[in-house]
Amino acid sequence: MGRGPAIAAALGVLCVASAVLLVEGAELTTQLSNGFTATHAAGAAAAFEPVLYAPNAVFAFGFLRVGTASLDLAVVHLPSSFPLWRATPARLGDWSRAATLTFDDSSLVLADQDGGVLWRTLNAVGDTVALLNSSNLVVRRYDTDAPAWQSFDRPSDTLVVDQNFTGASPLLISSNRRFALRLGRTYMALRMEFYGGRATPEYWRHTALEAQPGNASEPPVYGRLDARGFFGLYLEGGARKVDVLSFDTFLQSPAGAFRRMTLDDDGNLRAYYWTDNSTAWASDYRAISERCELPTPCGAYSLCVPGDAQCQCLDDDDDSTTSAPPCRRAEETADLCSGGDGQSQQVGFDVVRRARVSVAYKEQLPVKTNTTEAECERACAANCSCWGAAFNGASGYCYLIDFPVETMVYEADDRKVGYFKIRRAAAARASRMSPGMAAATAALSLVLVCLAASGAYSGYRLWERRRRKRAGMEQELVPGPYKDLKSMASSNSSLKA
Ligand SMILES: *[C@@H]1O[C@H](CO)[C@@H](O)[C@H](O)[C@H]1NC(C)=O
Ligand SMILES: *[C@@H]1O[C@H](CO)[C@@H](O)[C@H](O)[C@H]1NC(C)=O
Ligand SMILES: *[C@@H]1O[C@H](CO)[C@@H](O)[C@H](O)[C@H]1NC(C)=O
Ligand SMILES: *[C@@H]1O[C@H](CO)[C@@H](O)[C@H](O)[C@H]1NC(C)=O
Ligand SMILES: *[C@@H]1O[C@H](CO)[C@@H](O)[C@H](O)[C@H]1NC(C)=O
């Protein structure tokens, strides 16, 4: 595809622009002023339509197609086509219909073709909009550097270098919206999101090494990704570092590496970096290193066998029959309680019992000690918000699973037994739906996100090629996003399994 036309097309969306960056004749807009309007044409061919570039031409902000036909605003890392930030309105736009982005009356507004507001910057009064070299999208007054509004305060699934993640920040949410990262006063934690956030079991927690949980006058921690290759936890109101999650490249950070930390769709929190020579993101940190310790590597009602990370279904009678997942049960979208508030009647359920099972993240579950297997079962059976229980006959510990059963972990110990409820009435309906519609949709949206930015990417390639030529190192870049897409898609497909 011609690069010139791509840029021309990208710029064609602009109606008003106030500052431009000159890249050997091609003009890239680097600032928007009040009165700016850009239009997304119904069903546009390019999956990303940039309207604003960072001065380093590595990032652009514009209309992004999400999934097959939704429209969002995003800040995209052009060399990889990866969206670092998305506006994520409650109601996404429709790609097949026209939409407008305006900067008027001091706020950025995304509206559909009927003028319905899909998303806008709130509580901000500004004169200009710019995308910084850090990828931060900022709305500012002329007379001050401090932004009135910045995308860094509203992360989606990704954090970048120098972006402060605090207890007051919105949660980091995976793009399939099933997992979240949050900061507590002295720790960071990953949790699952069920029933639209009414059940949020935690599956990973890291407490800051030098924080003092017992000291109420100590300020809470905030986190920040550091270009040197670590995620630091600091005390608010100062720069006192209380912990460091160091990455594999710590102290030997590749020159010019651009880093991001993303809550991926498999529920793992990973750090990645990209250098000038990259064709795919390289990962140098993951919060959870064993696949079986992820929250749902094998899907709902399944069992993950450590070592070879093989998946089985929970209702297989014994270890030898290994019917491959996806297992027959679809993910649950409501608890087993019926009737109104205060009622604890239970809908009908079947029971599956299985030996040699355990939960990967049992530290975070409600526990009863000094129980017997029968008592453990009874405690769960009688409670409509309990979906299962894992009992350890050696210790007498009974862990109650107060959220839909996901993947259990195999342990070669006959004293570790599990009791699981399976909704009866919904089983037929559930199995008709392919397991994990959400996962499929998410996979699709990832595909499209990764295919995005063709116009912007061409613009970047032009700029990059000329830069390299100037630097006397002309070499053809191998387009990166597809490789990355494959690895993302495969990590994502584990959700469906
Ligand atoms: C942003 O990057 C460009 C190109 O690398 C550079 O010329 C400019 O000085 C940078 N701006 C800031 C504020 O660092
Ligand atoms: C992040 O926090 C530090 C320390 O509080 C502050 O100096 C810096 O300006 C903040 N960065 C952003 C982008 O808000
Ligand atoms: C509690 O935290 C405050 C603020 O960081 C500090 O000044 C104080 O010494 C701490 N108290 C104890 C008992 O460590
Ligand atoms: C455990 O339960 C048994 C029987 O209910 C009781 O006799 C015993 O004192 C309990 N032990 C502890 C440590 O609570
Ligand atoms: C049912 O289980 C939930 C979650 O473990 C717990 O909060 C609640 O107290 C239990 N209800 C009863 C009646 O035991």
Side-chain angles (χ1 to χ4, degrees):
M1 185 175 76
R3 291 168 175 122
I7 288 184
L11 291 174
V13 241
L14 304 183
C15 298
V16 180
S18 53
V20 291
L21 174 75
L22 284 168
V23 183
E24 300 197 11
E27 294 181 351
L28 301 181
T29 307
T30 59
Q31 185 173 290
L32 313 177
S33 298
N34 262 311
F36 166 87
T37 301
T39 304
H40 156 74
F48 179 58
E49 301 170 282
V51 301
L52 177 68
Y53 287 84
N56 60 14
V58 175
F59 311 104
F61 166 64
F63 299 106
L64 177 74
R65 188 170 73 205
V66 178
T68 47
S70 297
L71 176 147
D72 198 356
L73 294 172
V75 171
V76 168
H77 177 248
L78 298 175
S80 67
S81 298
F82 186 87
L84 298 168
W85 176 84
R86 279 178 48 191
T88 327
R91 178 169 68 90
L92 285 172
D94 185 345
W95 192 260
S96 65
R97 290 156 58 93
T100 56
L101 173 68
T102 55
F103 181 56
D104 219 343
D105 291 334
S106 311
S107 57
L108 267 175
V109 179
L110 174 67
D112 62 21
Q113 67 182 19
D114 309 320
V117 171
L118 300 170
W119 177 87
R120 72 184 314 151
T121 54
L122 290 173
N123 309 322
V125 176
D127 302 308
T128 61
V129 182
L131 186 57
L132 307 184
N133 283 351
S134 59
S135 83
N136 195 4
L137 180 71
V138 295
V139 176
R140 282 188 294 214
R141 301 302 301 258
Y142 286 127
D143 53 4
T144 165
D145 261 356
W149 182 95
Q150 56 179 347
S151 61
F152 270 19
D153 289 339
R154 287 154 188 81
S156 29
D157 62 351
T158 295
L159 299 171
V160 300
V161 169
D162 287 342
Q163 179 171 6
N164 295 325
F165 185 62
T166 74
S169 304
L171 307 186
L172 207 65
I173 308 268
S174 62
S175 75
N176 59 9
R177 310 200 71 74
R178 298 186 45 174
F179 307 105
L181 170 72
R182 71 180 195 97
L183 273 192
R185 240 174 52 77
T186 59
Y187 62 89
M188 52 198 282
L190 293 170
R191 68 189 207 190
M192 292 178 249
E193 303 272 309
F194 288 104
Y195 325 137
R198 273 178 293 126
T200 56
E202 207 173 284
Y203 59 90
W204 178 86
R205 179 183 280 222
H206 177 85
T207 301
L209 213 56
E210 291 172 29
Q212 304 168 315
N215 184 347
S217 63
E218 187 179 80
V221 297
Y222 69 96
R224 190 168 61 218
L225 184 59
D226 194 289
R228 288 167 288 181
F230 64 87
F231 189 75
L233 290 172
Y234 309 83
L235 293 184
E236 264 178 28
R240 208 191 116 206
K241 200 189 288 167
V242 286
D243 203 359
V244 160
L245 298 178
S246 59
F247 305 162
D248 297 344
T249 56
F250 183 45
L251 296 181
Q252 43 195 354
S253 191
F258 172 73
R259 297 181 176 278
R260 66 175 166 97
M261 196 175 216
T262 300
L263 181 51
D264 285 326
D265 278 352
D266 63 358
N268 213 347
L269 180 68
R270 293 187 183 81
Y272 298 87
Y273 63 93
W274 182 282
T275 65
D276 285 350
N277 303 318
S278 290
T279 55
W281 289 96
S283 174
D284 55 356
Y285 171 81
R286 52 193 175 172
I288 297 170
S289 53
E290 296 300 326
R291 181 165 180 259
C292 282
E293 282 164 18
L294 288 171
T296 177
C298 298
Y301 292 98
S302 63
L303 189 64
C304 186
V305 184
D308 49 2
Q310 186 204 350
C311 293
Q312 297 178 6
C313 292
L314 269 185
D315 51 0
D316 286 344
D317 306 47
D318 59 80
D319 299 349
S320 55
T321 53
T322 53
S323 73
C327 302
R328 271 172 288 156
R329 316 292 166 192
E331 200 141 274
E332 292 291 346
T333 54
D335 62 21
L336 290 166
C337 305
S338 66
D341 294 332
Q343 297 236 357
S344 57
Q345 276 174 297
Q346 234 170 145
V347 301
F349 60 88
D350 295 321
V351 166
V352 168
R353 291 186 181 79
R354 174 130 185 182
R356 305 188 166 193
V357 297
S358 173
V359 195
Y361 35 85
K362 49 181 160 314
E363 293 77 14
Q364 323 297 348
L365 297 178
V367 63
K368 287 184 185 298
T369 56
N370 196 23
T371 58
T372 64
E373 184 177 346
E375 283 166 359
C376 184
E377 275 195 14
R378 264 200 304 279
C380 182
N383 189 328
C384 68
S385 61
C386 182
W387 285 93
F391 177 70
N392 181 344
S395 66
Y397 276 45
C398 168
Y399 300 97
L400 297 174
I401 302 168
D402 51 358
F403 51 90
V405 174
E406 291 291 335
T407 304
M408 301 292 121
V409 183
Y410 176 88
E411 271 192 50
D413 182 342
D414 285 327
R415 292 168 302 179
K416 297 194 168 169
V417 293
Y419 162 90
F420 307 101
K421 295 176 180 174
I422 295 179
R423 184 193 301 271
R424 197 176 290 149
R429 177 172 54 84
S431 57
R432 241 190 300 129
M433 275 165 44
S434 83
M437 288 284 277
T441 314
L444 194 56
S445 76
L446 257 178
V447 167
L448 285 152
V449 151
C450 291
L451 289 174
S454 59
Y457 184 59
S458 304
Y460 171 79
R461 289 274 304 269
L462 172 70
W463 176 84
E464 175 71 7
R465 204 161 50 111
R466 290 184 172 156
R467 188 179 69 83
R468 279 167 193 260
K469 205 179 252 165
R470 278 200 303 280
M473 46 180 282
E474 168 76 339
Q475 67 186 78
E476 199 51 42
L477 275 175
V478 185
Y482 307 103
K483 207 175 214 171
D484 188 45
L485 165 67
K486 233 179 274 158
S487 64
M488 299 291 287
S490 67
S491 79
N492 198 71
S493 65
S494 62
L495 273 173
K496 275 183 287 179

